[in-house]
């Protein structure tokens, strides 16, 4: 732990240095909020400039936050303020009162400029990536290559985020990430495949929170990814529709509608479609004890029909009290055929036997989510509010599979198996958040959350014996999983001039119980943990800012980590869970610098993670059958750097670059085998955006993920390229798109495992996807590809 103490000392010294930068000059502080005159909705990203009264030259400037608020300083004594926003009439403010070096402009109303409205959709630009104190925001609507994509595919283009072809999500190289929807856990994030029912047209933005404050639940050792779904709030009737089609079979329709009056805001999102995801697999299992080799080449599909609808209403009891009732229903109808060929070679490399294994799987997956929320705004301060919510989630799966093995040559391999899965999960979340500003400098947040999770999985395997199907009791059982988590938190924030700090503490009490009903195998746990956090920032100048943060996080084993049932899709490469698995705990440190220099914005960060009880997947082999299951193995210390930049050399060309590198040290052992080693991994994304004549935009996104080492295996590097083309039509209300994902079909997963008693090679590949799309906005709305930067 010496290295951890050293890093802590460095971080504390760094925070002390930030404090020492605080200027002694008597700056004048100017604050206010920019609001759209007609809808009374805050305007995010409006420009606020301070200008010299005699020369009219700009002295400093800033943009408003998500709530339309701004806060900036100046050393000048004779100045005026100008507020502007594309598509609105600019406002100049020269009459104001200075009290104790402070100017409060209050609410600044901007009116729409009718002459500019037709140009807003074409010309308005918001930063593709926004950097905030404890998170980064990725604006999805501006990424052409996301046309027709699912939420899972959209995530693969987000900086610092990687998604492999099996749908596993990683943040800065770690899979211990918590995925939220609109700031809350969702039934659609429990299984990465369920994110397919959310299309890119429904997503407004994605927040990447690498070092969450104590306000957020402590789940997710590498951080939090928060998917924000669009919700229109402007008065009148607004809406948009999108159509997508592509190959392989990929078709979807999305509709967004809202109607806003004085008291009600009715909103809905509807999506439906079908997609096919073929995948080629190759596996080689070598038994070094018996010197036999098993070759397996196959193709599998996941054909889905999906439907999703979100329906809700905001009821404005008065200006200070709002009730929101919303619900979401999603249904997936799955067809998962597969066809595999097996060849077994003996010690002399002679073909012993050859057979095929075919699969027919059908599944129906209905999902429900419903929420009641109440928000109270107090009159004494615009940030003084109370938020109470209750959410229910339900997910069930009814799946049946038939597996048939047919001998081609050699030993008799004929066999027939059936499996049945009846799965049900119910989750209830109760949450309270309270924010109280005590002054312009001091504020606090406190709240509580209680999550109840109840799961039952009834799984049966049957073998065809003498013409009748008989239950295999060794593989059949009912697995019950219950987890309740109570969390309580408090944070305090201090902001003075260019410096701010936000410490916090969260307590969580966890109860977990698992039970294999048929064999009466139970495992109960309960534990209480404290999760401190601290974030600080210092603005050296208008162009340079520094941020630092620390948080303590947990990764609780999820259902499929604990579920001991075998997946027999390939009965020579089996995955199962481990009901004895313990949670991971991570200390996470981060220092970040942000530079805004002319046409270039730079973000450079240094991070360190130290994790105890690391969960790793361990494989064992007997007679060419490889079984993989998760185990707790030792510690992992990771030190890394992160670099992001946006460069616009000319108005019609821009580049976004994202680079991550980390070096890790693994220390641990399992069943007398020592797994101590060091390694590194790195990745980059480069997005080039090109504006062509005739309102055509072109994008090219290059991705590279280096190879890396796990406790047993080596994972190969991959590189792939995505392209996108967009054309605005119908005066900017309509948009046509084309995207090509994985242009060279070079995105694959390849792993080599070498152990004393066995070796294994695994490779999977999905291939190229081409999609065409059209979207159209009506009412006061714009096409779904872009909202023009106004509040949604």
């Amino acid at each position: 732990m010496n290295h951890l103490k050293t890093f802590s000392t460095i971080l504390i010294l760094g925070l002390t240095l930030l404090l020492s930068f605080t200027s002694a000059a008597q700056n004048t502080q100017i604050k206010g909020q920019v609001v759209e005159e007609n809808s009374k909705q805050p305007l995010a990203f409006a420009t606020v400039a301070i200008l010299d009264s005699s020369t009219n030259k700009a002295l400093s400037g800033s943009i408003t936050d998500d709530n339309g608020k701004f806060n900036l300083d100046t050393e000048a004594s004779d100045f005026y303020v100008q507020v502007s926003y594309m598509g609105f009439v600019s406002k100049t403010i020269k009459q104001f009162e200075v009290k104790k070096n402070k100017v409060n402009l209050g609410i600044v109303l901007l009116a729409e400029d009718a002459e500019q409205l037709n140009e807003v959709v074409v010309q308005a630009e918001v930063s593709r990536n926004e950097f905030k104190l404890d998170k980064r925001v990725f604006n999805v609507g501006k990424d052409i290559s996301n046309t027709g994509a699912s939420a899972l595919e959209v995530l693969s283009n987000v900086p610092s985020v990687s998604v492999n072809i099996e749908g596993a999500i990683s943040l800065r190289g770690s899979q211990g990430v918590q995925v939220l929807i609109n700031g809350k856990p969702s039934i659609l994030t429990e299984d990465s495949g369920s994110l397919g029912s959310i299309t890119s047209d429904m997503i407004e933005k994605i927040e990447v929170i690498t070092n969450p404050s104590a306000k957020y639940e402590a789940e997710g050792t590498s951080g939090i990814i928060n998917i924000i779904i669009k919700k229109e709030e402007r008065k009148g009737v607004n809406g948009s529709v999108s159509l997508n089609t592509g190959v392989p079979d990929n078709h979807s329709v999305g509709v967004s509608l809202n109607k806003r009056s004085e008291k009600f805001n009715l909103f809905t999102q509807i999506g439906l479609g079908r997609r096919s995801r073929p995948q080629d697999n190759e596996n080689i299992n070598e038994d070094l004890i018996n010197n036999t080799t098993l070759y397996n080449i196959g193709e599998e599909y996941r054909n889905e029909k999906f439907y999703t609808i979100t329906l809700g209403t905001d009821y404005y009891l008065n200006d200070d009290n709002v009730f929101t009732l919303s619900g979401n229903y999603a249904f997936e109808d799955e067809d998962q055929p597969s066809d595999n060929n097996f060849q077994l070679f003996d010690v002399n490399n002679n073909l012993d036997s050859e057979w095929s294994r075919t699969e027919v799987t059908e599944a129906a997956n209905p999902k429900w989510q419903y929420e009641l929320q109440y928000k109270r705004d107090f009159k004494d301060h615009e940030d003084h509010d109370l938020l109470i919510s209750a959410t229910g989630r339900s997910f069930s799966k009814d799946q049946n599979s038939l597996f048939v093995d047919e001998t081609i040559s050699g030993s008799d391999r004929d066999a027939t198996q059936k499996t049945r899965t009846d799965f049900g999960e119910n989750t209830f979340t109760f949450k309270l958040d309270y924010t109280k500003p005590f002054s312009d400098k001091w504020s606090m947040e406190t709240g509580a959350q209680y999550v109840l999770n109840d799961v039952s999985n009834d799984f049966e395997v049957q073998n065809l014996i003498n013409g009748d199907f008989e239950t295999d009791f060794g593989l059949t059982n009912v697995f019950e999983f219950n987890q309740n988590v109570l969390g309580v938190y408090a944070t305090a924030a201090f902001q003075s001039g260019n410096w701010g700090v936000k410490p916090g503490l969260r307590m969580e009490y966890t109860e977990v119980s698992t039970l294999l009903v048929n064999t009466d195998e139970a495992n109960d746990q309960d534990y209480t943990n404290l999760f401190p956090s601290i974030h600080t920032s210092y603005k050296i100048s208008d162009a340079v800012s520094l941020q630092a943060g620390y948080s303590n996080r947990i990764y609780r084993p999820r259902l499929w980590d604990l579920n001991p049932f075998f997946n027999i899709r390939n009965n020579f490469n089996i995955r199962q869970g481990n009901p004895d698995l313990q949670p991971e705990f991570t200390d996470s440190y981060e220092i970040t610098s942000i530079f805004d220099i002319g046409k270039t914005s730079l973000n450079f960060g240094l991070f360190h993670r130290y994790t105890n009880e690391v969960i790793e997947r361990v494989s064992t082999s007997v007679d060419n059958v490889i079984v993989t299951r998760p185990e707790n193995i030792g510690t992992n210390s990771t030190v890394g750097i992160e670099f992001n930049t946006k460069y616009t050399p000319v108005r019609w060309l821009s580049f976004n670059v994202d680079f991550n590198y980390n070096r890790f040290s693994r220390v641990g052992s399992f069943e007398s085998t020592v797994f101590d080693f060091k390694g590194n991994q790195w990745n980059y994304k480069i997005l080039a955006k090109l504006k062509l004549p005739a309102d055509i935009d072109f994008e090219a996104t290059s991705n590279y993920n280096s190879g890396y080492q796990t406790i047993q295996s080596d994972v190969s590097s991959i590189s792939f390229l995505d392209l996108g083309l967009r054309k605005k039509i119908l005066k900017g209300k309509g948009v046509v798109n084309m995207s090509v994902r994985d242009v060279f079909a070079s995105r694959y997963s390849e792993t080599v495992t070498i152990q004393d008693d066995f070796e294994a090679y695994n490779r999977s590949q999905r291939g190229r996807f081409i999609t065409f799309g059209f979207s159209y906005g009506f009412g006061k709305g714009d096409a779904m590809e872009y909202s023009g930067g106004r509040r949604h």
Side-chain angles (χ1 to χ4, degrees):
M1 297 294 287
N2 289 334
H3 67 288
L4 190 57
K5 293 179 180 178
T6 301
F7 198 91
S8 302
T9 302
I10 293 173
L11 181 59
I12 293 171
L13 289 174
L15 298 180
T16 304
L17 286 173
L18 292 182
L19 282 170
S20 68
F21 284 134
T22 305
S23 173
Q26 295 298 311
N27 292 349
T28 300
Q29 184 183 40
I30 303 102
K31 70 174 185 176
Q33 184 182 29
V34 182
V35 173
E36 186 177 352
E37 186 174 76
N38 292 331
S39 69
K40 298 300 187 290
Q41 293 299 317
L43 279 173
F45 318 119
T47 300
V48 183
I50 298 175
L51 299 96
D52 187 279
S53 296
S54 58
T55 65
N56 294 324
K57 291 184 177 180
L59 301 174
S60 65
S62 179
I63 62 172
T64 57
D65 63 15
D66 287 342
N67 297 313
K69 296 177 183 178
F70 60 89
N71 193 328
L72 63 165
D73 298 326
T74 181
E75 296 181 11
S77 58
D78 188 14
F79 62 90
Y80 65 93
V81 179
Q82 189 175 73
V83 182
S84 60
Y85 190 82
M86 181 70 72
F88 289 77
V89 179
S90 298
K91 179 166 288 189
T92 300
I93 306 171
K94 294 186 176 181
Q95 301 297 323
F96 47 80
E97 187 177 8
V98 181
K99 288 184 178 180
K100 296 181 180 180
N101 296 316
K102 293 182 180 179
V103 175
N104 188 349
L105 298 178
I107 302 297
V108 180
L109 297 176
L110 292 188
E112 292 184 80
D113 187 339
E115 295 181 359
Q116 294 186 33
L117 284 180
N118 290 335
E119 300 177 0
V120 170
V121 176
V122 177
Q123 296 181 3
E125 288 287 341
V126 296
S127 173
R128 186 171 183 267
N129 299 306
E130 304 160 39
F131 297 95
K132 301 179 182 292
L133 179 61
D134 60 350
K135 63 187 174 186
R136 280 176 295 159
V137 180
F138 175 81
N139 294 294
V140 173
K142 295 180 65 60
D143 193 342
I144 308 172
S145 62
N146 286 328
T147 299
S150 69
L152 198 64
E153 294 163 329
V154 171
L155 286 173
S156 67
N157 280 337
V158 174
S160 304
V161 178
S162 297
V163 182
N164 66 20
I165 66 170
E166 295 180 343
I169 302 169
S170 299
L171 180 58
R172 286 177 170 173
S174 172
Q175 291 188 9
V177 58
Q178 169 83 324
V179 181
L180 307 177
I181 294 180
N182 290 337
K184 302 178 182 69
S186 170
I187 198 67
L188 299 178
T189 64
E190 298 293 333
D191 171 19
S192 61
S194 300
L195 289 172
S197 61
I198 300 177
T199 63
S200 61
D201 300 319
M202 301 170 64
I203 302 172
E204 178 179 352
K205 58 187 177 182
I206 294 175
E207 297 176 339
V208 178
I209 310 170
T210 55
N211 225 336
S213 71
K215 179 178 181 177
Y216 297 92
E217 60 181 296
E219 180 68 40
T221 51
S222 64
I224 293 172
I225 296 173
N226 185 25
I227 301 172
I228 306 296
I229 303 299
K230 293 176 180 175
K231 186 179 83 169
E232 179 64 73
E233 292 180 347
R234 286 176 292 178
K235 286 185 179 180
V237 177
N238 302 280
S240 50
V241 61
S242 67
L243 304 172
N244 299 288
T245 186
V247 290
D249 199 20
N250 181 14
H251 316 285
S252 65
V253 178
V255 178
S256 174
L257 291 171
N258 96 287
K259 178 177 174 57
R260 173 71 190 273
S261 62
E262 291 297 329
K263 288 290 186 180
F264 286 95
N265 180 45
L266 303 175
F267 55 90
T268 185
Q269 290 271 7
I270 301 171
L272 59 94
R274 68 180 188 186
R275 62 167 59 94
S276 177
R277 290 187 285 178
Q279 180 171 305
D280 295 324
N281 301 313
E282 180 182 359
N283 302 286
I284 304 174
N285 298 354
E286 294 188 56
D287 185 339
L288 302 182
I289 303 299
N290 299 312
N291 292 317
T292 58
T293 303
L294 179 72
Y295 290 89
N296 163 218
I297 297 177
E299 184 177 31
E300 62 185 51
Y301 289 83
R302 183 169 181 169
N303 304 319
E304 297 174 330
K305 296 178 182 178
F306 62 90
Y307 318 86
T308 181
I309 179 170
T310 298
L311 183 65
T313 181
D314 300 316
Y315 173 62
Y316 297 84
L317 184 64
N318 50 46
D319 291 340
D320 302 319
N321 295 273
V322 182
F323 290 90
T324 300
L325 177 64
S326 63
N328 174 271
Y329 174 73
F331 183 84
E332 298 169 356
D333 188 4
E334 295 180 343
D335 176 24
Q336 300 180 35
S338 69
D339 192 353
N340 285 273
N341 178 267
F342 293 86
Q343 292 180 319
L344 179 64
F345 290 83
D346 62 21
V347 64
N348 297 315
N349 204 31
N350 295 319
L351 181 63
D352 177 80
S353 57
E354 182 178 3
W355 69 98
S356 65
R357 181 175 177 84
T358 58
E359 171 193 2
V360 177
T361 292
E362 295 180 348
N365 309 324
K367 305 177 179 70
W368 292 89
Q369 181 160 321
Y370 35 91
E371 179 179 17
L372 176 62
Q373 178 177 287
Y374 165 69
K375 183 178 182 181
R376 167 72 186 276
D377 289 321
F378 296 90
K379 292 183 179 297
D380 61 329
H381 196 284
E382 57 193 1
D383 290 331
H384 185 189
D385 53 51
L386 172 69
L387 189 68
I388 302 174
S389 66
T391 306
R393 312 197 304 270
S394 176
F395 169 47
S396 60
K397 177 185 281 288
D398 180 9
Q399 178 172 300
N400 293 278
S401 300
L402 175 66
F403 301 91
V404 177
D405 292 358
E406 293 184 337
T407 303
I408 297 175
S409 65
S411 305
D412 184 10
R413 293 283 182 171
D414 288 354
T416 302
Q417 289 180 300
K418 288 200 305 186
T419 66
R420 173 189 56 83
T421 301
D422 292 321
F423 175 87
E425 177 177 11
N426 292 286
T427 305
F428 302 95
T429 303
F430 304 92
K431 191 174 183 181
L432 180 149
D433 295 296
Y434 176 69
T435 304
K436 169 67 174 176
F438 296 101
S439 68
D440 292 337
K441 294 183 178 181
W442 289 96
S443 65
M444 60 85 68
E445 293 176 308
T446 188
Q449 177 177 280
Y450 189 38
V451 181
L452 300 92
N453 190 225
D454 182 10
V455 181
S456 177
N457 189 33
D458 184 353
F459 181 71
E460 181 182 19
V461 177
Q462 293 183 322
N463 299 312
L464 184 63
I465 300 176
N466 298 323
D468 296 317
F469 281 101
E470 298 182 5
T471 299
D472 186 336
F473 292 102
L475 299 177
T476 299
N477 216 319
V478 178
F479 181 68
E480 294 185 352
F481 168 77
N482 292 275
Q483 178 174 278
N484 302 328
V485 180
L486 172 64
V488 180
Y489 77 90
T491 69
F494 174 77
Q495 180 75 42
S496 178
N498 294 335
W499 178 74
V501 64
K502 185 178 181 179
L505 181 65
R506 186 180 187 92
M507 183 278 291
E508 290 188 350
Y509 172 69
T510 306
E511 291 181 318
V512 181
S513 65
T514 63
L515 174 65
L516 287 166
V517 176
N518 296 358
T519 53
D520 197 30
E521 299 174 60
N523 191 334
D524 298 333
Q525 303 178 44
D526 65 274
Y527 43 89
T528 301
N529 306 104
L530 294 177
F531 301 98
S533 69
I534 183 170
H535 295 81
T536 186
S537 66
Y538 180 74
K539 185 178 179 180
I540 298 175
S541 67
D542 290 337
V544 182
S545 299
L546 298 177
Q547 297 178 350
Y550 161 79
S551 65
N552 183 246
R553 311 288 299 163
I554 186 175
Y555 174 85
R556 297 179 182 89
R558 300 169 188 177
L559 171 68
W560 304 114
D561 296 321
L562 301 170
N563 191 341
F565 295 153
F566 285 17
N567 178 351
I568 63 171
R569 185 170 211 180
N570 182 333
N571 51 9
F572 284 85
N573 284 278
I574 296 171
R575 290 189 177 186
Q576 67 173 147
N578 177 7
D580 296 321
L581 212 56
Q582 301 296 308
E584 290 183 349
F585 292 92
T586 295
D587 288 295
S588 179
Y589 305 83
E590 184 172 314
I591 298 177
T592 303
S593 56
I594 300 172
F595 302 88
D596 190 1
I597 308 170
K599 298 179 180 180
T600 305
S601 59
L602 303 173
N603 171 62
F604 181 80
L606 170 68
F607 63 90
H608 172 63
R609 292 194 303 260
Y610 187 83
T611 304
N612 289 290
E613 298 291 344
V614 177
I615 297 175
E616 294 275 11
R617 295 195 173 274
V618 178
S619 298
T620 57
S621 177
V622 177
D623 293 331
N624 293 115
V625 177
I626 296 178
V627 178
T628 303
R629 64 179 249 157
E631 304 286 354
N632 292 107
I633 301 179
T635 63
N636 184 35
S637 177
T638 300
V639 176
I641 59 173
E642 184 174 52
F643 173 77
N644 310 97
T645 184
K646 179 180 180 180
Y647 178 57
T648 308
V650 290
R651 186 176 180 180
W652 47 269
L653 178 64
S654 66
F655 297 93
N656 288 81
V657 179
D658 177 58
F659 175 80
N660 274 270
Y661 170 86
N662 70 75
R663 181 161 182 80
F664 56 88
S665 176
R666 292 285 287 109
V667 177
S669 61
F670 176 72
E671 293 184 349
S672 73
T673 300
V674 176
F675 293 109
D676 293 354
F677 66 96
K678 296 181 180 179
N680 60 72
Q681 61 183 120
W682 59 281
N683 64 75
Y684 72 77
K685 293 186 181 79
I686 300 177
L687 169 66
K689 298 169 68 77
L690 180 65
K691 290 184 177 296
L692 301 174
D695 284 337
I696 297 175
D697 295 328
F698 173 77
E699 284 182 1
T701 306
S702 173
N703 293 262
Y704 176 81
N705 297 327
S706 74
Y708 62 93
Q709 184 180 359
T710 69
I711 61 170
Q712 286 184 306
S713 307
D714 289 306
V715 180
S716 299
S717 62
I718 60 169
S719 60
F720 54 98
L721 177 68
D722 299 334
L723 300 178
L725 199 65
R726 174 173 60 204
K727 162 70 176 169
K728 296 181 177 68
I729 59 175
L730 304 175
K731 296 182 179 180
K733 290 291 185 178
V735 179
V736 290
N737 305 271
M738 183 187 76
S739 68
V740 184
R741 298 179 62 82
D742 196 6
V743 175
F744 302 107
S746 56
R747 189 180 182 191
Y748 56 86
S749 172
E750 185 177 60
T751 303
V752 177
T753 304
I754 300 177
Q755 297 294 296
D756 293 337
D757 55 344
F758 76 96
E759 294 183 3
Y761 172 82
N762 307 98
R763 192 179 193 277
S764 301
Q765 185 174 17
R766 286 228 167 113
R768 183 184 303 107
F769 289 79
I770 302 175
T771 305
F772 299 89
F774 168 76
S775 62
Y776 179 76
F778 52 89
K780 289 187 178 180
D782 298 317
M784 294 180 91
E785 59 88 23
Y786 182 41
S787 66
R790 299 177 212 161
R791 178 173 172 80
H792 277 62

